[in-house]
Amino acid sequence: MAGLTATEKKLAEYKCNTNEAIQLKLVRFPEDLEDENTTFNPEYSHQVFGDDEVAFGYKGLKILLYYIAGNLSTLFRIEYTSRVNEKFDCVEADDVESKIREIIPPGFCTNTDDFVSLLEKEVNFKPFGMLLHTYSIHNEEAGEDITYQIYKADMTCPGFREYHERLQTFLMWFIETASFIDVDDERWNYFLVFEKYNKDGATLFATVGYMTVYNYYVYPDKTRPRVSQMLILPPFQGEGHGAQLLETVHRYYMSSPTVLDITAEDPSENYVKLRDFVLVKLCQDLVCFSPVKLMQGFSQEMVTEAQQKLKINKQHTRRVYEILRLRATNMGDAEQSRSYRLDVKRRLIGPYKKKQRELAKMRRCLRPEEMTNQLNQIDLNLQREQLEESFQQLVSDYRRVLERLAQA
């Protein structure tokens, strides 16, 4: 902070990192309100507080956003130890409350007593829509199996519109480029994950995560469901719920004769890894992916069977093939290893060959000096290095998928 004036130094003390200031909770019991172990923070806050993710004008700022675990009724409160006043060159503190009010729906609580009163009514909350799948995961800490359920809902379910308005606020904190969807468009499907838990002898439900899927029309009489948003809430991450949700959604659409295939909108790196695992798990028992057929290379039979039976498109099927062929390949055998490497690199080299075709066209219309400039941009040795790096990274990613599959 060298070179700052005394006033600037003083003002700098009133800057707060909003990722640290925002405190989120999923509350099941009144004692959770005071338990720091139930608190979690956002990964992002730039969509609300700007690229710097800073709120100005406060010391010790806390933005409390507490949700009842099931129906997500909300407590919103702002706390701070001090706030700037007009003595500092008439500067004003950021209007934090207005920024938060822009994304959370009305009807939230502002005091703890009202929130606890709502918590007592949580026993009446039940999941929305149609039950698709039930599964259990062993909890080491609790020493027991915990049951989870996945439901498909839509806006005709009583109370779901209001619930979804509260649920979608989490997107702003955990998806980097999140936006709210048009819920009046009937082509949206909603898939929800809930945990069943006991409280005073009653069975209650806690929200775990959700997925939104948009059903695109494909001429003449098909649809192409596209995953738009997917979020497992932080307290439940790393437990396998994402894979359960994605597989359940795939199985739901697989049964529909009008569905062509299932895609995703601008998938993140983590989503691609999750999809790899789920699709490989679904495909591994198909006859066309037997070890013998894998060693014969990628085939139209694989494309057709994966699309017709599992609603997987050609691009994703090719990736599944490469993962399963890696499992069937003895990489310690020089010939098998070489065959696998060449097979994958033939696909990876596609963009480079496209560039070469473009150059061939340029030769017919560029002057010699212009052509030289274009050729100078292409370093064949560099291309080979990039190709090898891409291959090694793929193999590393594929091995992680296979390791997870072996543990499933």
Side-chain angles (χ1 to χ4, degrees):
M1 297 176 65
L4 297 180
T5 66
T7 301
E8 287 171 334
K9 288 180 181 178
K10 191 72 175 174
L11 290 176
E13 295 175 5
Y14 285 86
K15 289 183 177 180
C16 298
N17 181 322
T18 47
N19 288 341
E20 297 172 1
I22 297 167
Q23 299 186 3
L24 304 163
K25 281 183 188 287
L26 295 168
V27 179
R28 302 185 186 194
F29 307 97
E31 51 267 33
D32 291 343
L33 292 168
E34 305 301 325
D35 184 356
E36 290 186 3
N37 292 325
T38 63
T39 302
F40 55 101
N41 303 98
E43 289 182 27
Y44 311 103
S45 56
H46 62 277
Q47 297 195 100
V48 179
F49 290 99
D51 290 343
D52 291 338
E53 298 182 321
V54 165
F56 171 74
Y58 306 87
K59 281 185 179 180
L61 178 64
K62 291 182 181 179
I63 303 168
L64 308 182
L65 282 169
Y66 296 171
Y67 296 80
I68 292 177
N71 70 17
L72 303 180
S73 293
T74 311
L75 170 67
F76 168 45
R77 202 166 68 230
I78 295 173
E79 299 176 355
Y80 49 85
T81 54
S82 64
R83 176 174 170 157
V84 294
N85 55 48
E86 293 184 0
K87 292 178 183 177
F88 293 132
D89 296 328
C90 300
V91 296
E92 291 185 8
D94 290 342
D95 189 352
V96 171
E97 182 173 335
S98 291
K99 290 178 184 290
I100 296 293
R101 281 176 177 268
E102 286 178 11
I103 66 161
I104 63 172
F108 54 83
C109 300
T110 56
N111 72 74
T112 304
D113 290 342
D114 290 344
F115 187 71
V116 171
S117 295
L118 289 177
L119 186 59
E120 292 169 359
K121 301 174 184 176
E122 178 73 348
V123 68
N124 299 318
F125 173 75
K126 295 294 182 284
F128 303 93
M130 173 177 65
L131 175 63
L132 296 181
H133 179 52
T134 299
Y135 63 98
S136 297
I137 293 177
H138 186 72
N139 185 290
E140 293 290 344
E141 190 176 328
E144 61 182 1
D145 289 344
I146 296 178
T147 300
Y148 299 88
Q149 294 184 327
I150 299 176
Y151 289 76
K152 177 187 175 289
D154 58 48
M155 287 299 156
T156 64
C157 300
F160 179 67
R161 180 181 292 263
E162 294 76 17
Y163 167 85
H164 178 263
E165 286 182 351
R166 299 188 290 272
L167 176 60
Q168 69 179 355
T169 60
F170 285 100
L171 298 176
M172 290 296 163
W173 313 127
F174 297 102
I175 295 182
E176 192 170 4
T177 56
S179 59
F180 293 160
I181 63 175
D182 176 11
V183 296
D184 292 322
D185 190 330
E186 295 179 353
R187 285 175 289 186
W188 284 107
N189 285 340
Y190 306 84
F191 299 88
L192 310 161
V193 187
F194 294 95
E195 176 191 333
K196 293 176 72 173
Y197 69 99
N198 294 317
K199 181 179 179 182
D200 301 327
T203 298
L204 278 74
F205 294 85
T207 300
V208 172
Y210 82 120
M211 178 190 289
T212 58
V213 180
Y214 192 79
N215 294 295
Y216 280 90
Y217 168 70
V218 179
Y219 181 84
D221 58 355
K222 300 287 186 182
T223 58
R224 174 173 280 128
R226 179 184 291 179
V227 176
S228 174
Q229 303 157 323
M230 180 177 180
L231 177 64
I232 301 298
L233 296 173
F236 303 96
Q237 289 176 5
E239 298 177 356
H241 301 293
Q244 289 281 353
L245 176 57
L246 185 56
E247 182 175 345
T248 299
V249 170
H250 252 276
R251 290 190 181 280
Y252 170 78
Y253 287 116
M254 277 160 46
S255 62
S256 171
T258 62
V259 169
L260 185 65
D261 53 40
I262 304 164
T263 62
E265 178 185 338
D266 192 21
S268 67
E269 186 177 326
N270 285 336
Y271 180 85
V272 171
K273 291 176 182 177
L274 179 67
R275 182 175 62 197
D276 283 345
F277 168 72
V278 170
L279 298 191
V280 169
K281 183 182 176 192
L282 290 171
C283 286
Q284 63 179 345
D285 294 326
L286 294 180
V287 174
C288 63
F289 287 104
S290 66
V292 171
K293 294 197 173 185
L294 286 166
M295 300 307 282
Q296 292 171 357
F298 187 56
S299 67
Q300 184 58 43
E301 180 190 6
M302 295 173 181
V303 175
T304 302
E305 195 168 356
Q307 192 274 322
Q308 291 180 350
K309 293 184 178 179
L310 304 176
K311 312 299 183 181
I312 301 173
N313 66 29
K314 183 176 180 178
Q315 180 185 353
H316 298 162
T317 302
R318 170 71 199 202
R319 198 168 167 95
V320 167
Y321 154 76
E322 290 178 3
I323 295 170
L324 288 175
R325 178 159 176 183
L326 177 61
R327 185 172 70 175
T329 299
N330 177 5
M331 295 300 277
D333 181 288
E335 184 53 41
Q336 286 192 34
S337 174
R338 179 177 178 276
S339 177
Y340 179 77
R341 187 173 66 253
L342 291 175
D343 189 40
V344 174
K345 284 187 175 182
R346 270 193 292 270
R347 177 180 65 81
L348 293 176
I349 205 169
Y352 300 105
K353 287 192 171 181
K354 182 181 177 184
K355 183 71 175 176
Q356 289 171 356
R357 288 194 296 271
E358 290 171 353
L359 280 174
K361 292 178 183 177
M362 289 178 187
R363 281 193 175 93
R364 294 195 290 268
C365 55
L366 291 181
R367 293 194 300 272
E369 60 271 21
E370 291 174 327
M371 192 64 210
T372 301
N373 288 336
Q374 289 293 326
L375 289 172
N376 287 340
Q377 294 176 25
I378 300 177
D379 184 331
L380 292 178
N381 287 329
L382 180 62
Q383 283 188 3
R384 291 191 195 97
E385 288 176 13
Q386 291 173 341
L387 189 62
E388 181 62 22
E389 284 177 15
S390 297
F391 173 74
Q392 293 299 339
Q393 183 59 53
L394 264 187
V395 169
S396 177
D397 291 343
Y398 290 173
R399 287 193 191 283
R400 278 193 287 270
V401 173
L402 293 173
E403 287 167 8
R404 183 175 181 184
L405 197 65
Q407 295 166 4

